[in-house]
């Protein structure tokens, strides 16, 4: 288990991302592309913001993360879920570069939502994902195309919250804290280390043996992020 910048992020990440329209749109695409796929691995699951709606829709989900605080919030959501949902949802400690032993293979989908940018060895993560997928299973990857302009993302989001009447004191104080940690995350070259242009990522995945592109765009986070879904 590691104690890195994600420990400082955990509570504001959960409070802010759950409210961001751009994050919600990305999760909606993940739900679209995992529809009908029973067993999903949520690698780098963070606070469980993707795992939870998947579990609520009836999927079997194994999520894992290597940060103590992010995982702590995911475990809290797991503990508060109904018993039937808890039986279909495992939350584990683990590293995406070498999936933990408790993650069964033959997955119908592997999701890496905004995780690869923090990993210096993306190739290892993609190979691990491929190995855990059954033929026809999908890998969903999202992340920044280049060092992102997260100030732009927050400004658009605040405008939207104001227009929707959601810009309340709770969101304001979480945003102030979150913006400070985000500034450090984005500007420190040792924190954000891996970026992919959408087409280059698709080429890499084809080279690894993924056979079909289900979706690939550069729309999320106001054009900052790639969204790629490929089938094994
Ligand atoms: C931006 S958050 C995304 C969390 C979650 N996927 C989501 O959509 O909300 C990045 C997450 O990746 C995790 N992470 C980064 N490197 C990791 C690694 N090598 N192994 C496991 N988790 C990792 C961090 O701890 C953090 O929780």
């Amino acid at each position: 288990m590691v104690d890195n910048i994600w420990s400082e992020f955990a509570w504001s990440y959960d409070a802010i991302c759950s409210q961001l329209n751009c994050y919600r749109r990305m999760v909606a695409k993940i739900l679209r592309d995992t529809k009908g796929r029973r067993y999903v691995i949520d690698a780098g699951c963070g606070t469980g913001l993707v795992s939870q709606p998947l579990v609520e829709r009836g999927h079997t989900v194994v999520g894992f993360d290597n940060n103590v605080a992010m995982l702590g919030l995911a475990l809290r959501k797991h503990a508060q879920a109904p018993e039937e949902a808890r039986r279909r949802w495992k939350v584990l400690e683990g590293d995406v570069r070498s999936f933990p032993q408790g993650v069964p293979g033959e997955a119908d989908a592997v999701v890496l939502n905004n995780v690869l940018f923090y990993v210096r060895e993306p190739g290892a993560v993609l190979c691990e994902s491929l190995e855990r997928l059954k033929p026809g299973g999908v890998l969903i990857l999202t992340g920044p195309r280049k060092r992102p302009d997260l100030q732009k993302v927050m400004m658009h989001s605040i405008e939207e919250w104001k227009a929707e009447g959601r810009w309340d004191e709770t969101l304001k104080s979480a945003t102030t804290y979150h913006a400070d940690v985000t500034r450090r995350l984005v500007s420190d070259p040792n924190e954000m280390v891996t970026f992919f242009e959408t087409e280059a990522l698709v080429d890499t995945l084809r080279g690894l043996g993924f056979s079909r592109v289900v979706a690939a765009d550069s729309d999320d986070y106001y054009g900052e992020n790639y969204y790629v879904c490929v089938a094994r």
Side-chain angles (χ1 to χ4, degrees), residues 56-76:
E56 283 168 359
R57 195 170 65 176
H59 298 261
T60 295
V61 177
V62 178
F64 64 94
D65 201 284
N66 69 354
N67 178 269
V68 59
M70 297 292 276
L71 206 58
L73 290 186
L75 283 166
R76 194 191 295 175

Side-chain angles (χ1 to χ4, degrees), residues 91-223:
V91 181
L92 306 171
E93 174 192 350
D95 195 306
V96 295
R97 293 167 300 181
S98 172
F99 286 16
Q101 293 234 317
V103 180
E106 293 287 295
D108 298 294
V110 174
V111 178
L112 280 148
N113 191 41
N114 270 338
V115 176
L116 276 189
F117 72 79
Y118 205 71
V119 180
R120 289 178 194 277
E121 306 86 356
V125 183
L126 299 178
C127 289
E128 279 285 297
S129 305
L130 180 62
E131 266 176 37
R132 304 292 166 132
L133 280 171
K134 61 168 67 153
V138 294
L139 172 61
I140 297 173
L141 298 162
T142 80
R145 297 162 51 220
K146 54 184 176 359
R147 196 161 289 281
D149 183 351
L150 290 183
Q151 231 176 322
K152 176 181 89 179
V153 172
M154 285 316 296
M155 275 171 54
H156 279 302
S157 301
I158 290 167
E159 276 168 27
E160 290 170 2
W161 287 333
K162 283 181 181 164
E164 294 164 9
R166 289 203 280 145
W167 184 229
D168 60 12
E169 288 310 315
T170 312
L171 215 39
K172 275 182 201 170
S173 69
T175 300
T176 305
Y177 174 88
H178 192 69
D180 182 51
V181 192
T182 300
R183 216 171 291 122
R184 278 191 283 134
L185 175 78
V186 173
S187 58
D188 186 336
N190 292 312
E191 294 289 353
M192 287 191 125
V193 289
T194 297
F195 307 99
F196 283 107
E197 281 298 347
T198 312
E199 285 313 313
L201 180 56
V202 167
D203 287 347
T204 302
L205 293 163
R206 282 193 201 282
L208 286 174
F210 285 93
S211 61
R212 189 167 60 89
V213 179
V214 178
D217 67 62
S218 312
D219 300 340
D220 294 329
Y221 277 61
Y222 311 95

